[in-house]
Amino acid sequence: MTLAEEQPRKKMTAAEVERLVNRLRGVPAGTPSLEEAKALRAEGWHLVVAYCRISDDAHKRDGHGVEDQTRHCARIAERTRSVVVQHYIDNDKSASKASVTRDDFDSMIDALERGTTDHGYPVDGVVCVADDRLYRGAHAYERFVDSFTAHPDRIYADDTGGHDLYGDGAEYRGLLGVAASRSETKKKKRRARLNHLARAERGEPVAGRRPFGWNADKLTLHPEESKVVRQGVTDLLAGKSITTVTRNFVASGLTSTMGNSWQLQTVKQILRNPRICGFRKLKGELVSDSEGNPVVGKWEPICTPKEWYAVTALLEKNRSAGGWDGSGDGKRTPRKYLLTGLLRCGKKLEDGQTCHAKMHGAPARKTHKYRCRSVLDGGCDKLSRQGPAIDKLISELVLAKLEKRNAEREPVEEVWADEAKMEAAQRRKTALADQWHAEEISDSTFFSLLKKVELEIKRLGVERKAWAARQETRKHKVTDVRAQWQDDRLDLQQKRRIIFDALEAVIVLPGVKGSHKFDPDTIIPVWKEESAS
């Protein structure tokens, strides 16, 4: 073996893998012409097609699994005095999942029924490295056999030799193979699940791709990447939008561990991943120990659990009711104007009712304005006010309100008020288990009481997460908002978030007709009620 052959194969991009598979698919290089192939057939050679498939190429992603199969199929064909005239290849596709469409398998079935390939070559048989490359379910096996036997005297061969698919035992052999294949698939899945669970409970990192923020050992922090993630956590807790955080990821000059550029969804996935605080999820739930506490992984964390809880709470809040930019209107597109979506038209309509439609920002000469929506969009389209004066007034009112609140705000609580309740529930759960193991209570009593105490622990856990998120957000609140606001250290989305957190709406009344003087009395803020948290 040469040194070049000993080197590990370089992982390809998805596009490179697709190009390789497309090059292998179809008529193999060096195949005789149709006339030459027919002449060989007249001399007793068989013209066969080869089917190649690999279930999971996502990990190695080099496409060489099916490439190796094509070479092995050529060797099998030589042993049966056959020539491969067509490759049918399904890369990175499962044969055991009914939802997966195998395009080349379907094309091969069509060719077998038709009797010729798309290039006109007669089909005298099929070769593949093993039965389970062709089928793992009864339906796929029946389709293959029905199309194969649609024409007489065909040959089928795999690595173990030739097989008669016309005889009485063909169906029996095939269904036995299907059953064995399904059994092996289930065993593999079960072993994988148990292995994942065991590794998670030991706090070991998962196999697979290196997570962004950590070195190749998946334990120690990557100095540059972890700094970007840490800054993303800090920025979100300080009120910056996920859009701004994503821009900062892009500005860092780093790419994802797959070499891709940053997308908003990818950044959200990183910040939602409990790995950044040392925890891990399986099937959407945090992995916990016997006491119900999250298992702490062996890798270095980027942030604290409290910070992670706060970040996930913010992202969930913005995803549902508040919109990704914190505007409260559910829109994901970052806004260009400070108060779009908050202002409400206060113009009286002809029937005496107030319009109350949302007003939106629009460019005006050298500035911007806020105007009511069109009639078709649910507004009256009859009120328009200059934007800068309203922006300045609302900003000042909100800043004054925040300064007053900060002066009156209670200090951050260091201990959750219901911590004793959680500890008591955990003790009850442990005591129940001890009683059950000592056979002091019956199975039915144990599981009935266990269900109740686990529900209480889950409820208290949710409340503790919400409390931790509120406390962590308080710690990261901008203390001197006015200075940061005036020095432009807050971006537009941060300012919108602060304003939308303080106000339910702002009613805009029409100005005095013929007067160019701004009247602050025509702008009526509707404040949100003080939160008990």
Side-chain angles (χ1 to χ4, degrees):
M1 181 179 290
T2 66
L3 180 62
E5 290 173 330
E6 293 175 355
Q7 298 298 319
R9 289 165 169 164
K10 179 183 177 183
K11 180 177 282 192
M12 299 180 178
T13 65
E16 289 172 334
V17 172
E18 187 63 26
R19 284 196 293 271
L20 171 63
V21 172
N22 285 336
R23 178 172 59 81
L24 296 172
R25 184 178 283 128
V27 180
T31 299
S33 67
L34 181 58
E35 291 73 15
E36 293 170 337
K38 288 181 177 179
L40 287 171
R41 192 179 187 227
E43 295 174 6
W45 286 75
H46 301 97
L47 306 183
V48 299
V49 298
Y51 182 75
C52 308
R53 180 187 66 81
I54 188 169
S55 298
D56 185 6
D57 190 42
H59 177 55
K60 290 185 177 180
R61 203 173 70 186
D62 59 9
H64 288 90
V66 289
E67 185 179 30
D68 294 341
Q69 288 182 36
T70 60
R71 286 194 289 267
H72 196 42
C73 283
R75 290 191 288 269
I76 294 172
E78 287 179 9
R79 295 200 297 263
T80 59
R81 193 175 166 79
S82 301
V83 177
V84 176
V85 295
Q86 178 85 19
H87 285 151
Y88 293 101
I89 297 176
D90 286 313
N91 190 52
D92 198 16
K93 289 188 176 182
S94 170
S96 59
K97 296 179 181 178
S99 60
V100 175
T101 299
R102 293 188 286 157
D103 296 324
D104 268 34
F105 179 79
D106 292 340
S107 297
M108 181 187 68
I109 295 297
D110 291 340
L112 287 171
E113 290 176 346
R114 190 171 56 241
T116 60
T117 69
D118 289 341
H119 296 87
Y121 287 92
V123 180
D124 297 327
V126 177
V127 294
C128 65
V129 297
D131 282 349
D132 63 1
R133 298 303 87 196
L134 275 168
Y135 55 84
R136 284 203 171 187
H139 178 64
Y141 175 71
E142 289 171 357
R143 286 185 65 201
F144 172 65
V145 171
D146 287 347
S147 61
F148 185 92
T149 56
H151 296 265
D153 302 325
R154 282 175 167 169
I155 64 167
Y156 168 65
D158 61 15
D159 194 45
T160 63
H163 304 284
D164 180 12
L165 299 187
Y166 295 93
D168 294 335
E171 185 174 353
Y172 178 71
R173 172 185 171 275
L175 292 178
L176 275 180
V178 168
S181 179
R182 283 189 173 180
S183 176
E184 182 61 26
T185 299
K186 289 180 178 179
K187 286 180 182 178
K188 287 181 179 179
K189 288 180 178 179
R190 185 163 57 251
R191 288 195 297 267
R193 283 198 301 269
L194 292 174
N195 181 53
H196 284 315
L197 179 60
R199 296 187 65 175
E201 290 176 339
R202 293 194 298 267
E204 296 177 359
V206 296
R209 188 171 62 250
R210 176 181 73 85
F212 185 82
W214 284 266
N215 293 313
D217 60 9
K218 303 174 189 172
L219 297 172
T220 56
L221 292 178
H222 187 289
E224 295 179 355
E225 294 179 355
S226 61
K227 184 178 179 181
V228 174
V229 178
R230 169 73 246 181
Q231 190 60 49
V233 170
T234 302
D235 288 345
L236 273 181
L237 293 175
K240 288 190 178 180
S241 69
I242 188 64
T243 302
T244 299
V245 172
T246 303
R247 290 197 188 106
N248 291 340
F249 268 70
V250 174
S252 71
L254 301 170
T255 62
S256 73
T257 53
M258 293 185 68
N260 298 324
S261 57
W262 292 109
Q263 303 293 327
L264 186 141
Q265 189 63 34
T266 311
V267 174
K268 283 189 291 187
Q269 288 172 354
I270 289 176
L271 297 177
R272 279 206 196 101
N273 192 337
R275 185 181 224 279
I276 67 174
C277 75
F279 296 164
R280 182 179 172 187
K281 277 187 177 181
L282 274 180
K283 295 184 177 180
E285 297 289 337
L286 286 177
V287 178
S288 302
D289 59 20
S290 58
E291 300 296 322
N293 299 312
V295 173
V296 179
K298 297 178 180 179
W299 55 88
E300 297 179 25
I302 293 177
C303 67
T304 67
K306 286 184 178 180
E307 289 173 326
W308 175 73
Y309 281 130
V311 164
T312 53
L314 285 171
L315 291 175
E316 286 301 314
K317 172 188 173 185
N318 294 340
R319 180 170 67 173
S320 53
W324 287 115
D325 60 356
S327 65
D329 56 10
K331 302 283 185 176
R332 293 194 183 191
T333 305
R335 299 300 186 183
K336 297 180 180 179
Y337 305 106
L338 186 63
L339 302 177
T340 293
L342 183 68
L343 303 183
R344 295 280 182 169
C345 176
K347 186 174 180 61
K348 291 288 185 181
L349 303 178
E350 293 179 0
D351 59 2
Q353 299 292 320
T354 304
C355 176
H356 283 158
K358 285 185 178 181
M359 302 179 71
H360 61 88
R365 185 179 300 175
K366 297 183 180 180
T367 180
H368 67 281
K369 61 184 177 181
Y370 294 108
R371 63 177 301 148
C372 186
R373 297 176 182 271
S374 68
V375 176
L376 291 177
D377 203 16
C380 66
D381 199 19
K382 293 182 179 179
L383 180 62
S384 177
R385 299 290 301 272
Q386 287 300 312
I390 301 178
D391 289 348
K392 183 178 179 180
L393 173 65
I394 295 300
S395 297
E396 179 58 38
L397 291 174
V398 169
L399 289 173
K401 190 84 168 180
L402 284 178
E403 288 170 342
K404 182 180 178 183
R405 284 183 185 175
N406 287 338
E408 300 171 350
R409 188 181 295 275
E410 296 178 1
V412 173
E413 302 168 24
E414 293 299 329
V415 180
W416 178 46
D418 287 336
E419 191 66 49
K421 290 183 179 179
M422 174 64 88
E423 292 175 357
Q426 295 285 6
R427 287 195 299 270
R428 287 200 302 275
K429 181 180 178 182
T430 303
L432 270 175
D434 291 341
Q435 287 180 292
W436 183 55
H437 286 297
E439 299 185 352
E440 296 175 4
I441 57 176
S442 66
D443 290 354
S444 60
T445 301
F446 169 68
F447 286 108
S448 175
L449 295 175
L450 181 65
K451 183 177 180 180
K452 292 178 181 178
V453 74
E454 283 182 337
L455 284 173
E456 183 180 3
I457 290 173
K458 185 173 183 179
R459 177 185 62 79
L460 289 169
V462 171
E463 292 178 3
R464 181 165 60 182
K465 286 180 186 179
W467 170 84
R470 291 195 300 271
Q471 301 309 306
E472 201 61 35
T473 304
R474 282 184 183 180
K475 288 181 181 179
H476 289 79
K477 284 290 185 184
V478 180
T479 54
D480 191 357
V481 181
R482 184 180 294 277
Q484 301 216 13
W485 196 290
Q486 294 173 346
D487 294 345
D488 288 330
R489 281 180 279 166
L490 301 177
D491 61 27
L492 178 64
Q493 305 311 320
Q494 283 179 285
K495 292 179 179 180
R496 281 176 59 81
R497 186 183 297 278
I498 291 170
I499 289 174
F500 276 78
D501 281 346
L503 290 164
E504 290 286 359
V506 175
I507 300 172
V508 180
L509 302 177
V512 179
K513 198 168 185 179
S515 173
H516 296 286
K517 185 178 180 180
F518 176 69
D519 183 2
D521 291 337
T522 60
I523 308 300
I524 306 172
V526 181
W527 300 99
K528 287 185 177 179
E529 294 183 4
E530 291 286 343
S531 172
S533 62

